[in-house]
Amino acid sequence: MKLSELLAGQEHHVLQGDPARTWITAGTTFDADRVMPGSLFIAVPGHREGGPDSVAPALACGAAAVLVGAATPALAASVWASAPEVCVVRVPDTRTAAAVVASRYFGEPGRQMDMVAITGTNGKTSVSYMVESVLRISEGAKVGVIGTAGSRIGDELIPMPRSVLTTPESPDLQYLLGCMRDRGVGSAVLEATSMALLTHRVDRTFIDVGVFTNLTQDHLDDHGTMANYRDAKLRLFQGLCRRAVVNADDPVGAGIQAMMPGAVTTYALDAEADYRATDLSVDASGTRFILHHDGRKYPAAIPVPGRFSVANALATVAACHLLGHDLGRLVAALDRMPAIPGRFERFQTPRGTSVIVDYAHSPDSLDKVLTTIRDFARGQVITVFGCGGDRDTTKRTDMGRIAGTHSDLCVLTSDNPRNEDPQAILDQIAPGIAATGTPFERFTDRRQAVAFALSAAGQDDIVLIAGKGSEPHQIIGDKLLPFSDMATVLELTRA
Ligand SMILES: Nc1ncnc2c1ncn2[C@@H]1O[C@H](COP(=O)(O)OP(=O)(O)OP(=O)(O)O)[C@@H](O)[C@H]1O
Ligand SMILES: [Mg+2]
């Protein structure tokens, strides 16, 4: 495609060359080391593998054109002047322009599929898997999923040159959507993180239904205040989606209704809402409830315990119903959903201990998972957990208090300490547990912590291993060391 077509209608200023004579044939990228002859290199300030300082290597790799932002240092001009055949264009904001250009390059794939995007502190991955499962089970639909666990169509992962973020940067995201469309995907489900919304990664994905799950404390390291964090999430509902599905039990939900009058559908367990659940009955194997919509009642069941899982199921059903699918069939599919890796994933040890591996790594999710477990626990509850390093430190004592409040024994351990001293992280969590009076042990080595918890547990006890879910690594320093909670449990309990 010609660069002039990619930029049509967008404010831009040509610094060198002619966009109408510049063909982009090898995609768009922020990463200098992914530039090929025919690429459009977008020099996004602050981007780790690129930015204005990387214009020279991008040119050396054969970039056909370069987009720079308004604040690009004048020095860069001497760099591209040495390659007069390369077209250079300045745009007011590189990320906003990148989303437009990348989407057009791939033929605006979001317009050709049903698009669902989910935002909220907790539940994005869970709801995305649920949407995929119910559409597949009820309609035989081919669904694409983009999120924390990578991007896939069914069981097939779409390989990427390097590991990408939960919500990939717009060149990668649009590429993935293009792949999905080309392979006959009818519906794509996307996790929209607050940082992604803030940095325009989700622009031009043409979302049909945006889902808001909840807002509780997390990511204050990125956003500074809860108000900033909320505002970032709310961007999804400011022109990025046509319709919204909103949790009416969360106070932020009301703000979304004011932003999109007439286009908001609500779900709730407590508040009045378009989709409601009542008569919950929770046991270790799952939850039964009655779903209410439009004056009708639908008996429903999900193979996951907990009120939060019912909330996720309501969000799922409401979003898929808005896309035009049959409500009765959607509800019937809920009970046949497969387990979601690392989300309340269960295993019974030969000694009769139930082990639950869960991705809860924020105060609210830890609280939700532990109160759910308490609901059906017959024996002791032993919680193995930690807090990530180089991330929000303000939640650490609070998570200690929550774990202590709902457990009989806590085993404090490392959860991706990254560049922090693992002992220092545990030192910040420990006062929270100590304040509850619950006994605890500490092992910076996660395998030792799991082994200790399993050895302390007997028949009918429950060991919750929280924080990492299905992550296959422990990040220590800058190293990704292979580690899986569930694989460790299986290994330690093998007879
Ligand atoms: N609706 C919910 N409300 C509160 N907690 C939830 C909810 N759904 C799931 N959880 C808990 O939060 C954990 C993380 O869930 P999930 O992976 O779906 O969230 P996420 O929003 O994708 O998180 P991340 O931003 O880290 O990718 C789960 O393992 C579970 O403990
Ligand atoms: Mg996720």
Side-chain angles (χ1 to χ4, degrees):
M1 237 175 150
K2 284 184 199 160
L3 183 58
S4 53
E5 290 167 334
L6 296 176
L7 287 169
Q10 298 297 305
E11 186 185 338
H12 65 276
H13 177 70
V14 179
L15 299 174
Q16 174 175 304
D18 180 358
R21 289 163 178 259
T22 304
W23 287 86
I24 305 302
T25 52
T28 67
T29 182
F30 293 179
D31 300 359
D33 60 354
R34 286 166 67 186
V35 168
M36 292 184 290
S39 294
L40 170 62
F41 174 64
I42 305 172
V44 174
H47 185 70
R48 220 171 93 173
E49 280 84 21
D53 292 344
S54 297
V55 171
L59 293 179
C61 292
V66 177
L67 280 194
V68 296
T72 301
L75 182 66
S78 61
V79 174
W80 61 70
S82 65
E85 72 288 1
V86 175
C87 184
V88 182
V89 174
R90 189 172 64 210
V91 289
D93 178 63
T94 43
R95 286 179 177 277
T96 314
V100 175
V101 162
S103 165
R104 286 182 182 163
Y105 183 81
F106 292 105
E108 300 191 326
R111 284 191 198 273
Q112 295 152 53
M113 297 181 284
D114 282 345
M115 292 291 305
V116 177
I118 303 142
T119 197
T121 306
N122 293 306
K124 298 182 295 296
T125 300
S126 306
V127 173
S128 67
Y129 274 62
M130 283 187 175
V131 167
E132 177 199 20
S133 295
V134 298
L135 289 180
R136 187 175 44 74
I137 294 166
S138 68
E139 311 282 344
K142 199 166 177 181
V143 183
V145 182
I146 299 174
T148 311
S151 303
R152 54 188 181 78
I153 304 169
D155 293 333
E156 186 200 340
L157 270 177
I158 304 178
M160 294 299 287
R162 63 162 51 101
S163 84
V164 294
L165 304 153
T166 285
T167 315
E169 297 285 7
S170 54
D172 289 334
L173 178 58
Q174 298 292 343
Y175 160 78
L176 289 163
L177 293 174
C179 278
M180 290 177 175
R181 174 208 50 208
D182 294 347
R183 294 202 214 162
V185 163
S187 310
V189 197
L190 168 73
E191 287 183 52
T193 63
S194 47
M195 278 313 282
L197 290 162
L198 207 56
T199 53
H200 299 280
R201 290 178 224 158
V202 187
D203 290 12
R204 310 291 284 195
T205 47
F206 306 102
I207 297 154
D208 296 290
V209 182
V211 178
F212 171 77
T213 58
N214 47 60
L215 187 89
T216 59
Q217 186 188 332
D218 208 1
H219 303 299
L220 290 186
D221 45 340
D222 288 327
H223 299 285
T225 66
M226 280 302 284
N228 292 345
Y229 179 38
R230 178 200 61 211
D231 292 347
K233 296 259 177 233
L234 292 182
R235 282 185 171 219
L236 181 59
F237 307 99
Q238 292 166 321
L240 292 185
C241 63
R242 277 196 310 122
R243 312 278 303 266
V245 166
V246 168
N247 178 2
D249 286 332
D250 191 293
V252 175
I256 298 172
Q257 302 206 44
M259 273 172 192
M260 298 179 65
V264 174
T265 296
T266 52
Y267 68 92
L269 275 75
D270 297 323
E272 275 309 313
D274 301 312
Y275 296 81
R276 287 197 67 219
T278 63
D279 302 272
L280 271 63
S281 106
V282 182
D283 65 31
S285 64
T287 313
R288 302 192 159 277
F289 59 99
I290 306 289
L291 185 144
H292 301 253
H293 176 66
D294 231 0
R296 290 190 60 184
K297 294 181 182 182
Y298 300 79
I302 46 171
V304 207
R307 284 171 60 85
F308 68 93
S309 308
V310 173
N312 292 343
L314 290 176
T316 299
V317 164
C320 296
H321 194 207
L322 276 188
L323 291 176
H325 299 282
D326 178 76
L327 183 56
R329 289 163 68 124
L330 293 169
V331 173
L334 284 174
D335 199 22
R336 294 167 52 204
M337 285 184 312
I340 305 174
R343 308 295 183 285
F344 223 95
E345 198 177 347
R346 283 156 283 183
F347 173 75
Q348 186 89 9
T349 72
R351 280 168 75 175
T353 301
S354 295
V355 178
I356 298 169
V357 169
D358 187 85
Y359 194 45
H361 55 273
S362 67
D364 183 59
S365 57
L366 191 61
D367 186 66
K368 294 275 192 317
V369 167
L370 276 167
T371 46
T372 297
I373 291 174
R374 268 289 172 219
D375 253 7
F376 60 78
R378 284 182 292 153
Q380 296 202 85
V381 175
I382 301 172
T383 302
V384 181
F385 78 108
C387 289
D390 302 342
R391 295 283 185 277
D392 192 349
T393 55
T394 63
K395 64 182 181 185
R396 293 179 183 167
T397 314
D398 206 23
M399 286 181 65
R401 181 188 53 75
I402 290 165
T405 303
H406 301 295
S407 313
D408 299 291
L409 170 67
C410 290
V411 186
L412 205 44
T413 189
S414 299
D415 180 342
N416 297 334
R418 300 190 176 85
N419 293 301
E420 281 191 62
D421 171 9
Q423 289 289 4
I425 299 175
L426 305 200
D427 286 345
Q428 290 177 19
I429 307 170
I433 312 179
T436 65
T438 298
F440 66 98
E441 297 287 338
R442 41 192 287 175
F443 302 88
T444 49
D445 182 276
R446 197 166 172 98
R447 186 187 157 85
Q448 273 182 25
V450 171
F452 175 80
L454 292 173
S455 70
Q459 199 172 5
D460 291 339
D461 290 345
I462 298 178
V463 174
L464 169 68
I465 307 174
K468 294 184 71 64
S470 55
E471 281 179 3
H473 296 117
Q474 178 79 296
I475 310 175
I476 301 179
D478 289 324
K479 288 209 175 72
L480 286 181
L481 306 175
F483 188 88
S484 148
D485 282 345
M486 193 51 100
T488 304
V489 170
L490 296 179
E491 202 187 302
L492 289 167
T493 56
R494 225 182 351 239

